[in-house]
């Protein structure tokens, strides 16, 4: 929809009723979660309903996802990050799931199998060690799963993939015969954190936030979810005309997601932790601010780098492209907002900056005509500056007439 140039004052000001109660937002409902927590959890990914659904968690949400439709349902009663999840395998107790914010699950199926950091697996009966499987994996063993119907055991760990297989292995009941599987993720070292088995397939969760299905017969792997890895997600921006959005994370990657099909479209490795992101109004470029003071401009269709620059040493807190697609504003922790003229090409020479900012930049917004920018700071002050000279505007009457590009009353 077009931006109104004559927006009415908010209802609170119309009625001069400052004590009016705020309405609760009740029409919002969680529809889809893009993510899987694999970087610090184990055995937290399982099949449900004879393999029709999978269950996993991220943040404080437990997620059940249908494999054919992609539709998700949620358990949202936890008050903090979920760290443990397991499913009861007994046929009498189908779909009974246990989740926990802290604690551990101790398996009791006569024998207990313990994975070691050196790649060995120990087989115990009661408290006696009865067998050692030396070098079951070349790296640490992070997860194991025993199937009740046939007693076969799946293990997952950290391993460099070879022609013979990778970090997922299927063993007989005595862990004497083994078949290894490659995950085909393209990683130099595969690191598996959760495995589950059902109906000829192995469900795999990795440290890097991926969920895959591996076929036992053909060994082919199918990527179901490819989410961000360890680190907070700071950058988030929606495309101006399409149902897609971009996320940028401390894991050093930026990813474009499809809101309709609920899947990852593309991703790029930025090399450093990212803090903010913004699309250009025409949707052809996306600007990303980095924690190390650098900013990068990508072409949306290919995610190739159009240009990059680093004029600051501290983190870029917010980044914006003006409505006329001409100016780039870069706000940093150094109490500054720098301006660049995108029409001058990839050189990105700074053409002006705001210098009278009392604290670090939190958020920015251009005016609809691209002549002004308002800056929200860590000192809880809102300031307006001219673009691109950076001179502060103090005339309250003038400020009251400005129509902002994205800010709403």
């Amino acid at each position: 929809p077009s931006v109104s140039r004559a927006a009415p004052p908010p209802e609170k000001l119309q009625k001069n009723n400052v004590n009016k109660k705020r309405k609760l937002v009740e029409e919002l409902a969680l529809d889809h979660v893009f993510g899987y927590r694999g970087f610090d959890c184990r055995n937290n990914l399982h099949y449900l309903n004879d393999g029709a659904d999978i269950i996993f968690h991220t943040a404080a949400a437990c997620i059940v996802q249908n494999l054919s439709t992609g539709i998700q349902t949620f358990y949202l009663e936890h008050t903090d990050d979920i760290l443990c999840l397991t499913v009861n395998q007994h046929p009498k107790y189908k779909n009974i799931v246990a989740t926990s914010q802290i604690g551990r699950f101790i398996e009791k199926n006569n024998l207990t199998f313990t994975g070691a950091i050196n790649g060995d697996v120990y087989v115990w009966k009661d408290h006696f060690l009865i067998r050692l499987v030396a070098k079951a994996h070349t790296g640490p063993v992070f997860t194991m799963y025993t199937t009740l119907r046939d007693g076969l055991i799946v293990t997952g760990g950290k391993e460099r993939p070879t022609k013979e297989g990778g970090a997922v292995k299927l063993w007989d009941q005595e862990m004497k015969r083994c078949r290894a599987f490659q995950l085909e993720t393209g990683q130099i070292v595969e690191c598996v954190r959760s495995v589950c088995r059902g109906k000829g397939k192995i469900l795999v969760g990795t440290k890097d936030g991926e969920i895959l299905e591996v076929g036992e017969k053909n060994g082919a792997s199918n990527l179901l979810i490819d989410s961000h890895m360890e680190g907070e997600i700071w950058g988030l921006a929606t495309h101006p005309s399409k149902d897609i959005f971009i996320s940028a994370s401390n894991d050093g990657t930026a990813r474009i997601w499809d809101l309709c099909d609920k899947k990852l479209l593309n991703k790029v490795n930025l090399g450093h932790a990212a803090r903010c992101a913004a699309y250009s109004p025409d949707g052809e470029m996306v600007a990303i601010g980095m924690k190390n003071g650098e900013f990068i401009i990508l072409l949306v269709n290919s995610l190739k780098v159009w240009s990059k620059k680093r004029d600051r040493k501290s983190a870029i807190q917010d980044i914006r492209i003006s409505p006329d697609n001409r100016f780039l504003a870069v706000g940093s922790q150094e109490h500054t907002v720098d301006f660049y003229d995108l029409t001058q090409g990839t050189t990105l020479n700074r053409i002006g900056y705001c210098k009278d900012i009392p604290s670090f930049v939190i958020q920015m917004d251009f005016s609809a005509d691209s002549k002004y920018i308002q800056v929200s700071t860590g000192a809880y002050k809102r300031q307006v500056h001219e673009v691109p000279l950076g001179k502060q505007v103090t005339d309250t009457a003038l400020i009251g007439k400005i129509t902002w590009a994205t800010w709403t009353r």
Side-chain angles (χ1 to χ4, degrees), residues 320 322-324 327 329 339 354 364-375 382-395 398-399 401-405:
R320 296 278 177 166
S322 61
D324 60 4
F327 298 114
F339 295 109
C354 305
M364 305 180 297
D365 190 19
F366 277 97
S367 61
D369 59 7
S370 303
K371 293 182 178 180
Y372 303 96
I373 192 169
Q374 63 175 337
V375 183
R382 169 189 170 230
Q383 295 185 181
V384 177
H385 295 257
E386 294 179 359
V387 176
L389 299 179
K391 182 180 178 181
Q392 185 176 357
V393 179
T394 58
D395 186 344
L398 174 60
I399 294 174
K401 295 178 181 179
I402 298 174
T403 299
W404 300 105

Side-chain angles (χ1 to χ4, degrees), residues 250-278:
N250 276 350
D251 68 5
T253 68
R255 301 167 188 247
I256 294 182
W257 308 85
D258 189 312
L259 280 168
C260 295
D261 294 336
K262 298 180 174 62
K263 65 179 182 181
L264 179 71
L265 296 179
N266 204 352
K267 65 179 179 179
V268 62
N269 193 338
L270 304 171
H272 297 281
R275 300 303 294 267
C276 53

Side-chain angles (χ1 to χ4, degrees), residues 8-73:
E11 184 180 357
K12 184 170 69 174
L13 295 182
Q14 287 179 354
K15 297 181 179 180
N16 196 26
N17 182 9
V18 296
N19 296 320
K20 184 177 180 180
K21 293 184 178 179
R22 295 181 178 179
K23 292 182 179 179
L24 292 176
V25 179
E26 297 177 341
E27 66 271 19
L28 295 179
L30 183 60
D31 179 66
H32 198 87
V33 173
F34 295 87
Y36 159 69
R37 183 164 184 156
F39 68 90
D40 64 349
C41 296
R42 313 285 190 274
N43 298 329
N44 61 340
L45 174 65
H46 295 267
Y47 283 112
L48 286 179
N49 300 318
D50 294 327
D53 303 311
I54 60 174
I55 185 169
F56 55 99
H57 65 81
T58 188
C62 184
I63 303 149
V64 177
Q65 178 169 322
N66 185 273
L67 290 179
S68 60
T69 66
I71 295 176
Q72 293 181 344
T73 55

Side-chain angles (χ1 to χ4, degrees), residues 104-149:
R104 60 178 181 166
F105 167 71
I106 301 176
E107 184 177 330
K108 294 183 179 179
N109 297 331
N110 290 331
L111 298 179
T112 300
F113 298 85
T114 305
I117 196 170
N118 65 351
D120 295 346
V121 172
Y122 303 96
V123 184
W124 308 80
K125 189 169 184 179
D126 297 326
H127 58 282
F128 296 102
L129 178 64
I130 62 172
R131 191 158 157 265
L132 168 65
V133 183
K135 296 298 178 185
H137 287 267
T138 59
V141 180
F142 288 129
T143 176
M144 293 187 288
Y145 183 88
T146 305
T147 311
L148 286 181
R149 57 184 172 82

Side-chain angles (χ1 to χ4, degrees), residues 144-299:
M144 293 187 288
Y145 183 88
T146 305
T147 311
L148 286 181
R149 57 184 172 82
D150 57 14
L152 298 187
I153 300 167
V154 185
T155 61
K158 184 177 181 181
E159 194 153 326
R160 187 180 297 271
T162 63
K163 292 182 179 180
E164 290 73 29
V168 175
K169 298 182 179 181
L170 182 63
W171 307 76
D172 63 15
Q173 297 182 24
E174 297 180 351
M175 290 200 72
K176 291 182 178 179
R177 289 180 294 177
C178 165
R179 182 183 175 191
F181 301 89
Q182 282 190 358
L183 299 182
E184 301 174 8
T185 60
Q187 301 287 345
I188 298 176
V189 177
E190 297 173 347
C191 189
V192 173
R193 292 301 177 93
S194 183
V195 289
C196 183
R197 181 171 174 258
K199 291 201 169 181
K201 294 181 179 180
I202 300 173
L203 191 63
V204 180
T206 74
K207 179 184 179 182
D208 294 333
E210 300 152 318
I211 295 181
L212 308 97
E213 270 191 325
V214 180
E216 291 182 11
K217 290 185 178 180
N218 56 16
S221 60
N222 177 33
L223 184 63
L224 303 179
I225 293 177
D226 187 2
S227 59
H228 279 287
M229 299 172 283
E230 182 177 6
E232 299 170 341
I233 298 174
W234 283 81
L236 184 69
T238 55
H239 192 279
S241 59
K242 298 179 181 179
D243 289 333
I244 62 175
F245 70 94
I246 190 168
S247 57
S249 168
N250 276 350
D251 68 5
T253 68
R255 301 167 188 247
I256 294 182
W257 308 85
D258 189 312
L259 280 168
C260 295
D261 294 336
K262 298 180 174 62
K263 65 179 182 181
L264 179 71
L265 296 179
N266 204 352
K267 65 179 179 179
V268 62
N269 193 338
L270 304 171
H272 297 281
R275 300 303 294 267
C276 53
Y279 278 99
S280 61
D282 59 12
E284 295 182 1
M285 291 181 172
V286 63
I288 299 176
M290 311 297 288
K291 189 177 181 180
N292 67 349
E294 185 179 45
F295 63 90
I296 300 174
I297 299 178
L298 305 173
L299 299 175

Side-chain angles (χ1 to χ4, degrees), residues 281 321-329 340-344 348 351 366 370 387-388:
I321 298 177
S322 61
D324 60 4
N325 283 291
R326 180 180 178 184
F327 298 114
L328 174 70
Y340 302 85
D341 190 340
L342 297 177
T343 63
Q344 294 181 0
L348 292 178
I351 58 174
F366 277 97
S370 303
V387 176

